[in-house]
Amino acid sequence: DGGITQSPKYLFRKEGQNVTLSCEQNLNHDAMYWYRQDPGQGLRLIYYSQIVNDFQKGDIAEGYSVSREKKESFPLTVTSAQKNPTAFYLCASQSRVNQPQHFGDGTRLSIL
Amino acid sequence: AQSVTQLGSHVSVSEGALVLLRCNYSSSVPPYLFWYVQYPNQGLQLLLKYTSAATLVKGINGFEAEFKKSETSFHLTKPSAHMSDAAEYFCAVSPNYGGSQGNLIFGKGTKLSVKP
């Protein structure tokens, strides 16, 4: 079945550590997105990529980095500069502009 | 800038009662609108989408939404709530109609509780 796979489902970060969240899709979608979800705040856009080897900052990009070396993959790194990383992270993909986004099942990141 | 407002962060209904979740948007051009549902610790699942073809949109699980341009609203309804409808619901708008960017703007969500 086509879909989006996020891993791991749960992740713990130590102080000063960078961690990378994986997002893989087999829907052949060009665009991919990373969102952060906090209780009562909805979804906030971190980064997005509309094509391989290109990506743009979203509303809350500080403390995060991404790469898009392959169409299928859009990993997100939460760096030590992100002082409040505890959240639920969602990855999505989209076939073209104005079409629905398809979501993975998320990664929950916590601080040790 | 475009925005989405969902009135009521929590809504509680009895099983079998009408479900009404409110969504208002701000847009200077005809928008594309979406409703998503999220169950605990899962991603978002598309319920329905409005793309200007018809003002009344039917979605999955018996949900529907009506686009009202004069009220800038896109409220979600279901005639009879089921226990399995308990979840969080998000309204979203595509902010760049006709443009090159596909990112969506989401409301803050409404948690629906269903009482037996």
Side-chain angles (χ1 to χ4, degrees):
Chain A
D1 285 338
I4 299 178
T5 302
Q6 289 188 242
S7 61
K9 191 165 181 66
Y10 298 95
L11 186 59
F12 298 90
R13 195 192 87 170
K14 296 179 181 178
E15 290 289 336
Q17 186 181 46
N18 294 352
V19 293
T20 297
L21 285 61
S22 171
C23 178
E24 303 278 332
Q25 56 104 353
N26 60 5
L27 298 167
N28 199 33
H29 288 173
D30 285 319
M32 296 187 75
Y33 303 82
W34 274 106
Y35 294 92
R36 171 178 171 141
Q37 186 177 22
D38 296 280
Q41 296 198 42
L43 277 69
R44 293 183 289 169
L45 183 65
I46 305 173
Y47 269 97
Y48 63 102
S49 167
Q50 293 182 290
I51 197 168
V52 175
N53 292 323
D54 188 39
F55 49 83
Q56 286 79 42
K57 293 181 179 180
D59 300 320
I60 56 165
E62 185 174 352
Y64 301 97
S65 65
V66 293
S67 63
R68 187 84 187 279
E69 297 176 1
K70 299 186 301 182
K71 187 175 185 178
E72 302 79 19
S73 179
F74 191 40
L76 174 73
T77 296
V78 183
T79 75
S80 57
Q82 173 49 247
K83 298 306 180 187
N84 183 24
T86 298
F88 191 53
Y89 291 86
L90 288 163
C91 178
S93 71
Q94 186 183 43
S95 57
R96 58 184 187 274
V97 173
N98 294 325
Q99 292 302 303
Q101 292 182 8
H102 298 256
F103 286 82
D105 280 339
T107 293
R108 188 166 298 281
L109 176 62
S110 303
I111 294 293
L112 276 179
Chain B
Q2 300 210 10
S3 64
V4 175
T5 301
Q6 291 185 240
L7 296 176
S9 57
H10 289 85
V11 170
S12 182
V13 300
S14 297
E15 192 173 19
L18 171 72
V19 176
L20 171 61
L21 304 181
R22 301 178 186 273
C23 173
N24 289 88
Y25 66 91
S26 67
S27 174
S28 58
V29 296
Y32 282 53
L33 292 157
F34 308 88
W35 273 101
Y36 286 86
V37 61
Q38 184 181 34
Y39 298 98
N41 292 314
Q42 293 186 23
L44 275 64
Q45 179 184 1
L46 181 69
L47 275 178
L48 48 82
K49 63 180 180 181
Y50 168 75
T51 58
S52 77
T55 56
L56 183 62
V57 181
K58 294 189 184 297
I60 62 172
N61 301 340
F63 284 94
E64 62 181 36
E66 186 173 8
F67 174 72
K68 292 187 176 180
K69 184 178 179 180
S70 61
E71 299 178 7
T72 60
S73 68
F74 190 56
H75 301 332
L76 183 70
T77 60
K78 182 174 180 178
S80 177
H82 191 272
M83 297 296 291
S84 61
D85 294 327
E88 190 160 18
Y89 293 80
F90 292 92
C91 182
V93 62
S94 180
N96 199 24
Y97 179 82
S100 61
Q101 296 179 8
N103 48 298
L104 302 180
I105 294 175
F106 286 85
K108 294 189 175 183
T110 297
K111 282 190 178 177
L112 175 66
S113 300
V114 182
K115 298 175 291 186

